[in-house]
């Protein structure tokens, strides 16, 4: 019952955040009813606005619950009182939900795609429910969001569900404010919504009334099936079927990289992987990422699912279709991104049949369009990280994008174009930095096309017109060329490792200068050389290189990245000259003498052998030298497998030797004594590769700590940020964190964007924003 108007107020509230498509308006409606308030609520391009009438105390309670008791998928950033007037008579005798409004300037947030909720899952398997077995069941608490949105506000006509007019029953649910599906934009059922069909590779429909059940039968028989999911296609196979696993690896030309696995429940994941309480929380979260889990010693799957790897990448089913495919049929399925080598995940049906027909035997397809591709996110939980463990995002995509990273300063809007590899883009507005989903490696033309489309879509969806554009300092990157191809915006070129430093500072809310330990594979340095083992001192406006790994040669340039034995030979040639031929090392003895001679001359004379200070390449060289991985089949494989063999029972072992050399350029780190000690141990033949790996990692930890202590003596700085792809190495990250903390440093790492190049766009955007604000370029 509404009041008579005595002592009442009329207030207008602006609510910002993820407040559309998450049941927020019916939540506000029910709150208004609870407190007997009149007025209205509606969506507009800025979020949600509500005009509410009632007594002051009730309006205060209403506003508090709006802020603190929002629906599960909502993210309320602020509840702003924009107008307040006293009224002597009631203006409203009820509370209503009004139609959405569109405005030119938009600040609303779009929800990421989310997993199917428990209520919908229960209905999915309830034979008495009208949506029993319907693979697109959803409600306001779950389902597709970002991948189907064409524009905002988030209403059905601006999504790919506009192609499916609702039937009478679905319309009734959609219009009923008390229904769980009130204004659920993807709402649908068997009668009116998307459908699934099974095809063979010639695009002939398989005449079966149960396409998902038929697909499951074919998987058990060893078939490989391309399955259309939420943000793209997966290639799916039975990990228990030896021939299917081997055939998938052969057809996909993916010789060593692990395949992801999908299980329906955490209990099923425990059949083949160790799952801690924290890892189960990540697996079961609404983001449903791929979580890296340690393999059980006697798991039942074919070794080729994840060769030479102690971990599986595991995700739980996140769409109704996945649950229907897995339930009572498989403990897990291989569910790897459907793409050709180095290309983006396939998400359009035409492309799927064209590009995947040489890999997949069948295609499980639905007719709900995916507007923008979104790959699976990858995370891990570091149990040994100080502070009780920490979650690290390795690939930020489905479930996380397009959520912003909030900063503590308002800056001019910027567009960060990201790195050449593992690319993301970042658009900023005021104090929010919107990092896109993982796009991929821009060296591939199809990825670059996806990149250009993503930039346009992001700008349209977020309605951000950047004032500055930021790119890498490398003149030949596609992203740099993209920046230079436009004439509307000033360009800020951000050195690669400075962008890493700034990204880690931003997500940790740091302002004052820091020591940045930035380790990765490749970054264009200020001196034109290839950097990657850097100790910087800097802030958002600039940096100074205080120390770095000594330069060494990459015989053959880019070829050395894929053939790390070249780097090892180059270092041996530098150390031993012509005596390299007499070394009693498997790497030397098994190499063709002519190639050995050519590589040695290339390195020592610096012929087609660019110099690098890359820590990532040093890891590769050590891996090749001790016989772990001489050539790689995927990026980072040599370093990954070097970490995998660490023998921690060698805890009493000492680090190898190295030297710090001060000169006019700062501190040079001479690691060659380390290489000499390794050679001596390898020639003695009484070696344990796991112990050598442990000692090498320990050496890098000691090196990091000692150099940071030297820089602290020079600068007085005690805050250290750790960034760059090398810090995906969990042993190195946790040991560096502990060692630096014990030495009195305040250590910060990444948790909201990847430490690898997936976080570079954030750093570029914040640097560009600061420089524009300060009138610098």
């Amino acid at each position: 019952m509404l009041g008579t108007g005595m002592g009442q107020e009329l207030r207008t509230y602006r609510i910002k955040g993820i407040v559309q498509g998450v049941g927020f308006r019916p939540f506000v409606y029910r709150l208004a009813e609870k407190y007997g308030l009149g007025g209205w609520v509606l969506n507009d391009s800025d979020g949600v606005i509500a005009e509410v009438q009632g007594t002051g105390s009730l309006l205060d309670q209403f506003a508090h619950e709006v802020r603190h008791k929002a629906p599960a998928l909502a993210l309320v950033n602020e509840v702003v009182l924009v107008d307040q007037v006293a009224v002597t008579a009631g203006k409203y005798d009820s509370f209503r939900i009004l139609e959405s409004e569109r405005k030119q300037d938009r600040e609303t947030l779009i929800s990421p795609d989310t997993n199917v909720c428990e209520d919908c899952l229960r209905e999915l398997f309830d034979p008495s429910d009208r949506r029993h077995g319907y693979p697109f069941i959803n409600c306001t608490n779950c389902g597709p969001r970002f991948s189907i949105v064409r524009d905002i506000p988030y209403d059905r006509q601006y999504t790919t569900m506009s192609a499916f007019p609702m039937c009478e029953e679905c319309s009734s649910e959609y219009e009923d404010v008390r229904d769980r599906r009130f204004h659920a934009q993807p709402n649908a059922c068997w009668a009116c919504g998307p459908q699934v069909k099974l095809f063979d590779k010639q695009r002939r429909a398989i005449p079966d009334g149960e396409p998902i059940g038929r697909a499951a039968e074919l998987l058990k028989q060893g078939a490989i099936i391309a399955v259309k999911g939420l943000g793209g296609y997966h290639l799916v196979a039975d990990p228990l079927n030896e021939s299917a696993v081997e055939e998938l690896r052969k057809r996909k030309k993916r010789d060593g990289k692990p395949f992801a696995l999908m299980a329906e429940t955490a209990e099923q994941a425990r059949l083949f992987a160790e799952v801690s309480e924290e890892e189960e929380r990540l697996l079961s979260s609404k983001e449903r990422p791929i979580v890296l889990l340690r393999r059980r010693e006697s798991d039942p799957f074919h070794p080729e699912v994840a060769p030479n790897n102690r971990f599986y990448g595991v995700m739980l089913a996140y769409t109704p279709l996945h649950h229907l495919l897995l339930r009572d049929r498989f403990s897990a399925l291989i569910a790897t991104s459907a793409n050709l080598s180095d290309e983006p995940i396939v998400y359009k049906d035409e492309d799927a049949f064209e590009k995947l027909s040489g890999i997949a035997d069948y295609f499980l397809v639905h007719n709900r369009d995916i507007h923008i591709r979104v790959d699976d996110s990858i995370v891990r939980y570091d149990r040994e990280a100080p502070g009780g463990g920490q979650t690290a995002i390795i690939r930020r995509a489905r479930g996380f994008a397009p959520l912003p990273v909030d900063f503590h300063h308002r800056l001019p809007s910027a567009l960060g174009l990201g790195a050449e590899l593992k690319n993301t883009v970042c658009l900023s507005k005021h104090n929010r930095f919107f990092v896109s989903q993982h796009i991929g490696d821009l060296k591939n033309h199809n990825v670059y096309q996806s990149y250009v489309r993503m930039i346009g879509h992001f700008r349209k969806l977020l309605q951000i017109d950047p004032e500055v554009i930021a790119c890498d300092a490398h003149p030949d990157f596609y992203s740099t060329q993209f920046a230079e191809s436009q004439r509307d915006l000033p360009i800020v070129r951000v050195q690669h490792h400075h962008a890493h430093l700034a990204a880690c500072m931003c997500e940790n809310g740091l302002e004052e200068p820091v020591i940045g330990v930035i380790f990765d594979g490749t970054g264009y340095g200020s001196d034109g050389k290839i950097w990657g083992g850097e100790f910087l001192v800097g802030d958002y406006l600039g940096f100074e290189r205080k120390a770095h790994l000594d330069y060494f040669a990459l015989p053959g340039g880019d070829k050395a990245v894929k053939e790390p034995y070249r780097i090892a030979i180059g270092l041996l040639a530098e150390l031993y000259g012509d005596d390299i031929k007499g070394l009693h090392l498997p790497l030397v003895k098994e190499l063709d003498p002519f190639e050995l001679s050519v590589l040695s001359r290339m390195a020592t004379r610096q012929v087609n052998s660019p110099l690098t200070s890359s820590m990532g390449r040093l890891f590769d060289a050590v891996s090749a030298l001790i016989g772990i991985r001489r050539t790689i089949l995927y990026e980072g494989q040599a370093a990954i497998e070097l970490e995998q063999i660490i023998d921690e029972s060698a805890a009493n072992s000492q680090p190898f030797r190295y030297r710090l050399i001060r000169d006019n350029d700062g501190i040079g780190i001479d690691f060659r004594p380390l290489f000499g000690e390794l050679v001596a141990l390898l020639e003695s033949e009484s070696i344990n590769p796991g112990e050598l790996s442990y000692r090498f990692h320990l050496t890098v930890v000691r090196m990091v700590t000692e150099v940071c202590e030297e820089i602290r003596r020079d600068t007085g700085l005690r805050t250290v940020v750790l960034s760059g792809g090398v810090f995906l190495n969990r042993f190195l990250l946790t040991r560096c964190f502990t060692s630096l903390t014990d030495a009195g440093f305040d250590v910060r790492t990444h948790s909201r964007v990847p430490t690898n190049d997936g976080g570079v766009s954030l750093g570029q955007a914040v640097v560009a924003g600061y420089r524009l604000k300060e009138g610098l370029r």
Side-chain angles (χ1 to χ4, degrees):
M1 175 73 67
L2 293 177
T4 63
M6 294 298 294
Q8 292 199 350
E9 297 177 9
L10 191 63
R11 296 183 187 177
T12 304
Y13 290 101
R14 158 68 61 195
I15 304 113
K16 292 185 177 183
I18 297 178
V19 290
Q20 294 188 11
V22 293
F24 202 85
R25 287 175 300 169
F27 159 69
V28 171
Y29 177 93
R30 289 190 292 271
L31 270 185
E33 279 201 331
K34 173 182 174 182
Y35 291 114
L37 307 177
W40 49 263
V41 62
L42 60 79
N43 283 346
D44 67 10
S45 299
D46 286 342
V48 166
I49 189 164
E51 186 168 281
V52 193
Q53 169 197 314
T55 63
S57 61
L58 291 178
L59 291 174
D60 289 342
Q61 292 175 20
F62 167 85
H64 178 81
E65 292 199 28
V66 166
R67 182 71 179 88
H68 297 286
K69 295 187 178 181
L73 296 185
L75 177 63
V76 179
N77 292 128
E78 55 183 344
V79 179
V80 179
L81 178 62
V82 295
D83 194 23
Q84 180 177 10
V85 296
V87 291
T88 57
K91 180 177 179 180
Y92 299 107
D93 59 4
S94 64
F95 195 88
R96 294 181 298 154
I97 296 176
L98 303 184
E99 289 297 315
S100 299
E101 291 182 353
R102 300 192 78 195
K103 295 163 59 179
Q104 284 300 110
D105 187 36
R106 316 173 185 185
E107 290 195 18
T108 192
L109 302 182
I110 299 298
S111 169
D113 300 295
T114 61
N115 68 297
V116 57
C117 70
E118 289 300 319
D119 288 330
C120 285
L121 201 58
R122 190 161 44 250
E123 293 171 351
L124 180 68
F125 291 102
D126 181 359
S128 66
D129 193 276
R130 73 185 189 91
R131 289 187 176 87
H132 175 237
Y134 183 57
F136 304 97
I137 190 171
N138 70 88
C139 69
T140 52
N141 298 320
C142 68
R145 296 291 192 276
F146 179 53
S147 61
I148 65 170
V149 174
R150 294 194 298 253
D151 203 352
I152 59 172
Y154 176 65
D155 286 338
R156 194 180 183 96
Q157 65 264 36
Y158 304 122
T159 75
T160 60
M161 284 299 296
S162 62
F164 302 95
M166 282 182 284
C167 66
E168 186 175 337
E169 286 185 272
C170 286
S171 294
S172 177
E173 295 168 333
Y174 184 86
E175 297 296 339
D176 184 355
V177 71
R178 301 183 187 283
D179 195 284
R180 198 174 86 249
R181 293 185 170 90
F182 175 77
H183 279 220
Q185 306 307 334
N187 189 32
C189 70
W190 285 109
C192 63
Q195 305 293 327
V196 174
K197 288 186 178 180
L198 183 64
F199 297 88
D200 64 17
K201 63 174 61 181
Q202 284 78 38
R203 300 195 69 166
R204 296 177 302 210
I206 304 299
D208 193 307
E210 296 281 348
I212 297 175
R214 178 63 178 140
E217 293 174 7
L218 292 167
L219 287 169
K220 286 185 177 295
Q221 294 167 18
I224 298 167
I225 301 181
V227 178
K228 186 177 180 181
L230 203 57
Y233 277 78
H234 285 118
L235 289 167
V236 176
D238 184 355
L240 293 172
N241 190 303
E242 183 174 330
S243 62
V245 176
E246 292 174 353
E247 194 64 23
L248 176 58
R249 200 163 279 289
K250 175 183 173 183
R251 293 182 194 176
K252 202 169 187 284
K253 298 178 182 177
R254 186 169 172 170
D255 293 330
K257 196 171 184 179
F259 291 133
L261 292 166
M262 177 182 285
E264 194 183 13
T265 65
E267 287 69 29
Q268 289 177 323
R270 284 191 174 91
L271 297 175
F272 53 87
E274 297 175 11
V275 185
S276 69
E277 182 179 340
E278 294 83 2
E279 288 163 339
E280 181 175 355
R281 176 182 56 78
L282 286 171
L283 282 170
S284 304
S285 67
K286 64 179 184 295
E287 292 84 9
R288 285 292 199 277
I290 295 172
V291 182
L292 300 186
L293 302 174
R294 188 175 291 274
R295 299 170 61 163
R296 290 198 177 278
E297 289 188 11
S298 58
D299 75 80
F301 299 143
H302 191 282
E304 284 298 303
V305 172
N308 301 318
N309 204 303
R310 295 180 181 177
F311 291 82
Y312 281 134
V314 184
M315 58 184 152
L316 298 189
Y318 55 88
T319 73
L321 190 153
H322 294 142
H323 283 277
L324 291 167
L325 195 58
L326 284 159
R327 179 68 62 96
D328 299 330
R329 295 185 173 112
F330 303 97
S331 60
L333 286 169
I334 290 173
T336 187
S337 297
N339 61 334
L340 302 179
S341 180
D342 297 325
E343 290 201 357
I345 184 174
V346 172
Y347 74 108
K348 292 183 177 179
D349 301 338
E350 288 294 327
D351 289 342
F353 283 106
E354 178 183 339
K355 295 182 176 183
L356 304 178
S357 59
I359 304 175
D361 301 303
Y362 298 92
F363 294 77
L364 192 61
V365 181
H366 62 74
N367 59 340
R368 182 182 68 203
D369 286 345
I370 299 168
H371 184 66
I372 202 77
R373 62 165 58 90
V374 189
D375 217 325
D376 296 313
S377 294
I378 305 175
V379 306
R380 72 167 184 228
Y381 185 79
D382 291 329
R383 308 176 193 184
E384 298 177 5
Q390 183 182 61
T391 300
I393 298 177
I394 297 170
R395 185 169 73 195
R396 188 179 188 271
R398 177 185 51 76
F400 296 99
L403 292 177
V405 175
D406 289 336
F407 193 47
H408 57 276
H409 279 320
R410 291 170 69 92
L411 296 172
S413 294
L415 169 59
L417 294 177
E420 188 83 342
L421 304 179
K422 296 179 176 60
N423 179 270
T424 62
V425 297
C426 178
L427 270 169
S428 69
K429 188 171 187 178
H430 305 319
N431 67 327
R432 287 189 179 143
F433 290 80
F434 297 88
V435 181
S436 76
Q437 72 273 33
H438 168 83
I439 296 173
D441 296 350
L442 298 187
K443 292 180 178 180
N444 182 285
H445 178 66
N446 289 329
V447 175
Y448 181 74
Q449 287 183 315
S450 175
Y451 168 76
V452 173
R453 181 171 182 254
M454 186 63 222
I455 291 172
H457 180 62
F458 233 42
R459 290 185 63 171
K460 175 185 176 183
L461 196 63
L462 300 172
Q463 200 60 33
I464 295 176
D465 291 318
E467 301 169 57
V468 61
I469 192 167
C471 65
D472 196 275
H474 198 299
D476 298 329
F477 279 0
Y478 284 110
S479 53
T480 305
Q481 294 168 20
F482 178 91
E484 293 173 343
S485 69
Q486 58 84 44
R487 296 290 182 266
D488 299 330
L489 300 174
I491 301 172
V492 171
R493 291 169 174 82
V494 184
Q495 197 279 327
H496 184 85
H497 301 93
H498 183 208
H500 273 296
L501 177 147
C504 198
M505 285 184 67
C506 177
E507 71 163 286
N508 282 281
L510 302 176
E511 186 67 33
E512 299 300 319
V514 300
I515 300 169
V517 183
I518 317 298
F519 289 170
D520 62 4
T522 300
Y524 186 76
S526 303
D527 57 1
K529 295 185 176 70
I530 302 169
W531 290 8
E534 312 308 314
F535 292 79
L536 311 179
V537 165
D539 55 17
Y540 300 111
L541 291 175
F543 72 95
E544 183 180 354
R545 190 189 196 198
K546 288 290 189 180
H548 63 86
L549 210 60
D550 272 0
Y551 286 116
F552 55 98
L554 298 177
D558 286 345
K559 200 166 186 182
V561 177
K562 295 186 177 180
E563 299 176 350
Y565 74 89
R566 290 170 168 261
I567 309 173
I569 293 296
L571 285 167
L572 292 174
E574 185 183 341
L575 281 169
Y576 298 99
D578 290 339
D579 293 339
I580 187 175
K581 298 173 184 176
L583 294 175
H584 297 288
L585 300 174
L587 177 61
V588 172
K589 296 299 181 185
E590 295 169 13
L591 197 64
D592 178 79
F594 178 74
E595 184 179 9
L596 177 64
S597 178
V598 169
L599 291 176
S600 298
R601 289 200 302 272
M602 286 174 64
T604 54
R605 299 176 186 178
Q606 293 183 20
V607 176
N608 189 24
S609 299
L611 295 177
T612 184
S613 60
S614 168
M615 182 62 77
R617 299 290 83 86
L618 181 61
F619 268 77
D620 290 348
V622 171
S623 183
L625 181 66
I626 67 178
I628 304 305
R629 177 59 62 177
R630 295 182 185 177
T631 62
I632 65 169
L633 302 169
Y634 61 90
E635 187 189 4
Q637 184 179 14
I640 289 169
E641 293 186 6
L642 182 64
E643 181 191 4
Q644 297 280 334
I645 67 157
I646 288 175
D647 182 0
E648 295 196 45
S649 68
N652 293 324
S653 300
Q654 295 300 308
F656 296 115
R657 292 184 297 112
Y658 60 89
R659 294 186 302 164
L660 302 185
I661 304 172
R662 283 185 177 267
D663 57 26
N664 293 333
D665 294 326
I667 302 171
I669 305 166
D670 180 9
F671 58 87
R672 289 163 184 81
L674 175 161
F675 231 69
E677 285 191 74
L678 273 174
V679 169
L681 289 168
L682 289 166
E683 285 193 310
S684 73
E685 297 185 355
S686 59
I687 53 97
N688 169 10
E691 181 179 351
L692 296 183
S693 177
Y694 177 85
R695 290 183 65 186
F696 170 68
H697 281 80
L698 198 64
T699 306
V700 177
V701 174
R702 178 69 59 85
M703 187 187 297
V704 167
T705 307
E706 186 177 354
V707 173
C708 285
E709 287 175 329
E710 290 289 316
I711 295 173
R712 181 171 59 187
R713 276 191 280 271
D714 293 342
T715 65
L717 298 176
R718 58 176 296 275
T719 301
V720 177
V721 298
L722 305 178
S723 188
V726 171
F727 284 111
L728 287 174
N729 182 314
R730 71 172 71 207
F731 182 93
L732 184 67
L733 179 67
T734 56
R735 294 301 179 99
C736 281
F737 193 111
T738 300
S739 179
L740 287 166
T741 302
D742 289 346
F745 289 97
D746 175 17
V747 187
R748 306 298 182 93
T749 61
H750 290 278
S751 60
R752 299 194 63 192
V753 297
T755 190
N756 61 29
D757 282 2
V760 162
S761 64
L762 171 62
Q764 291 172 340
V766 71
V767 167
Y770 263 90
R771 288 187 183 170
L772 190 64
K773 182 181 179 182
E774 297 297 322
L776 303 174
R777 291 280 296 279

